[in-house]
Amino acid sequence: MESLKQPDFGRRLKQLRTERHLSQAALAGEGMSTGYLSRLESGARPPTAQVVAYIAQQLNITVEELSGEPSEVSSLARALISATSAGSDAAVEALADQGALDPEEDPLLRAQALWLLADASGRTGRREEEQDYLERLVSLSDDLRLDDLRSRARSRLGRSLRATGAMRWAREIATGALEIARGTPLDAPEIAGALITMISIEAEDGQLTTALSYADELRELVPDDRLDLRVEALWASATVRVRLGDYATAERHLEEVLQLLTTHHDPNLWLRARLATASLFLQLSPPNTEMARRRLVEVSHAVEITGSPLYRQEMELLFAYLAYHEGRLADARAGCQALHDSTLLLTYRDKSRLAALDGLLLISEGKTTEGTETLERVASNARDEGSLDLAADIWRLLAKALAGLH
């Protein structure tokens, strides 16, 4: 068969393996040595029919697909090509109508499509859609028995659930992701992704010692060539340190994040990092308003260019808190009102912080009883939802606001 001749077969084999994020050891399994697989990929050894059949089974594809035999291109495959090459959310969202949700379609194509759909929904704050796609992806990854995808899909779903305040379910899903990552021979980035999710959930649940332990493990695990994971590890650690009151270490980590990232890097990561650092600077005691303002001014220009409604709302909330801490109460109130007048895409935590700021402003305006009741209600709701750290943070804000009246 012409398509099984080397080096063409080796190139195709390596492409299929890397597309599935499989290591050579994971693909080789117990049926062959990694050394033999490496020689196949380099073109140094010709494949036998028995070897081709085994590798196809490991990849969960047909021998014809592995050998590159021509086949009819499905509408989903065409839509995936358009979505990945066009780089637009509209092209990605078209995947839902081109077979991404059809169980009869090729499962590997569906997995790629569901990931892209979930990513687009998450970036625009459509959490319900995002979770639906991710739940489908979790189920599909189990059927495919792809451990890296099983862990990654669960990590992503755990983050999305945490963003909507479903803390108990988020913990269950994220724990499963970490167990899969640690229990199978996955690469460090897969384990890191699961750890990042667990850190955010443990911190939100008030389990700060456990969260810090995960954060320290994460920083040791992340390879030097993964800038995105290094940044995530540093700001995860900074988040936990802020909540533990270790502000000096938190600020060092935040400064390292800012030094690592420039606008030449992933613009989405650049934006998220600066919004995260601005938020943490405002959570210090006392708030570092100068550094927060600097980060927000940097971000404001980028948000105007990207036009992301979610990032815009996150930025407006932080500007409102900045105004409150600087004593510009009218500006803070205007910022809150602008958010209330729009369709909120914020996470559960940020929606709660917006409601808390409403209460703080009421107290500052002399409506102490109304403001206190607002903050107590928000804190109680956060406690009931399992967001114990958020509840504690709101109680601290209330106590500080009341103390400032005397």
Side-chain angles (χ1 to χ4, degrees):
M1 189 179 292
E2 190 71 23
S3 56
L4 292 181
K5 288 185 177 180
Q6 292 288 25
D8 294 337
F9 175 78
R11 294 193 190 101
R12 177 159 179 77
L13 173 57
K14 184 174 182 180
Q15 177 188 1
L16 290 169
R17 178 178 64 78
T18 55
E19 283 176 352
R20 289 157 175 76
H21 305 287
L22 293 173
S23 65
Q24 287 185 336
L27 177 56
E30 299 179 357
M32 69 172 61
S33 69
T34 55
Y36 181 76
L37 179 61
S38 178
R39 289 192 292 276
L40 282 174
E41 289 189 352
S42 68
R45 290 291 299 271
T48 66
Q50 184 179 4
V51 163
V52 172
Y54 174 76
I55 294 174
Q57 181 181 18
Q58 289 290 92
L59 291 170
N60 198 29
I61 61 177
T62 65
V63 169
E64 288 74 23
E65 288 174 299
L66 174 57
S67 63
E69 289 298 295
S71 60
E72 183 180 348
V73 179
S74 71
S75 59
L76 179 56
R78 291 192 181 93
L80 271 169
I81 293 171
S82 297
T84 52
S85 61
S88 69
D89 285 344
V92 170
E93 288 165 7
L95 293 170
D97 298 322
Q98 297 296 329
L101 310 183
D102 183 356
E104 299 301 318
E105 272 285 358
D106 180 287
L108 291 173
L109 294 180
R110 286 185 62 217
Q112 295 177 56
L114 287 168
W115 184 270
L116 292 174
L117 285 164
D119 184 60
S121 298
R123 281 188 287 102
T124 51
R126 292 172 289 154
R127 298 295 179 186
E128 188 174 335
E129 280 185 18
E130 178 190 32
Q131 289 166 21
D132 177 58
Y133 293 137
L134 290 172
E135 287 168 18
R136 292 171 184 266
L137 187 58
V138 166
S139 177
L140 183 56
S141 68
D142 289 341
D143 292 340
L144 291 169
R145 294 179 295 175
L146 296 175
D147 287 329
D148 58 340
L149 183 59
R150 292 178 66 218
S151 177
R152 199 179 310 126
R154 283 169 169 79
S155 293
R156 186 72 174 273
L157 178 56
R159 287 201 201 190
S160 183
L161 290 168
R162 171 190 170 272
T164 54
M167 297 301 298
R168 293 174 181 83
W169 191 11
R171 174 185 290 278
E172 179 182 339
I173 292 292
T175 299
L178 188 56
E179 288 175 352
I180 292 169
R182 284 177 166 167
T184 51
L186 296 182
D187 295 333
E190 305 303 333
I191 302 175
L195 282 171
I196 289 168
T197 303
M198 285 302 300
I199 292 166
S200 64
I201 291 170
E202 295 288 6
E204 194 68 54
D205 195 31
Q207 305 301 315
L208 298 179
T209 302
T210 304
L212 185 60
S213 174
Y214 282 143
D216 290 340
E217 179 184 352
L218 176 62
R219 291 179 62 217
E220 292 295 323
L221 179 70
V222 172
D224 290 339
D225 62 346
R226 285 299 302 269
L227 176 68
D228 56 336
L229 292 179
R230 287 177 63 198
V231 167
E232 294 253 21
L234 284 165
W235 91 46
S237 179
T239 300
V240 179
R241 299 280 182 180
V242 165
R243 294 174 186 178
L244 285 168
D246 183 2
Y247 301 134
T249 304
E251 291 207 51
R252 284 201 302 274
H253 289 337
L254 293 176
E255 285 303 318
E256 190 172 347
V257 166
L258 297 173
Q259 290 169 12
L260 285 171
L261 285 179
T262 69
T263 52
H264 298 296
H265 296 114
D266 178 354
N268 184 57
L269 182 62
W270 186 92
L271 268 172
R272 288 175 54 223
R274 274 160 174 73
L275 286 169
T277 52
S279 177
L280 289 175
F281 278 128
L282 289 174
Q283 292 176 50
L284 301 180
S285 184
N288 189 334
T289 54
E290 179 183 352
M291 290 300 292
R293 172 175 288 280
R294 191 178 302 174
R295 300 288 78 85
L296 288 173
V297 168
E298 288 177 347
V299 159
S300 61
H301 303 301
V303 168
E304 291 300 325
I305 293 172
T306 64
S308 166
L310 176 58
Y311 287 147
R312 184 184 301 278
Q313 289 187 5
E314 291 176 358
M315 179 187 71
E316 288 174 350
L317 176 60
L318 291 172
F319 265 124
Y321 261 98
L322 176 65
Y324 171 77
H325 288 303
E326 290 179 339
R328 295 181 289 108
L329 302 184
D331 290 341
R333 173 59 74 191
C336 288
Q337 190 58 53
L339 284 167
H340 286 304
D341 289 341
S342 60
T343 300
L344 287 180
L345 304 172
L346 298 170
T347 64
Y348 172 78
R349 184 180 182 88
D350 281 345
K351 287 178 181 177
S352 298
R353 288 182 59 78
L354 173 60
L357 184 53
D358 286 331
L360 292 172
L361 289 170
L362 287 170
I363 292 173
S364 299
E365 293 161 357
K367 302 172 184 177
T368 306
T369 300
E370 187 179 352
T372 300
E373 289 175 351
T374 298
L375 284 156
E376 289 176 342
R377 182 175 61 256
V378 175
S380 296
N381 287 341
R383 178 200 61 207
D384 293 343
E385 292 294 335
S387 297
L388 302 185
D389 182 75
L390 174 60
D393 185 43
I394 294 170
W395 285 119
R396 284 193 294 269
L397 288 172
L398 174 58
K400 187 173 180 180
L402 294 177
L405 298 177
H406 303 291

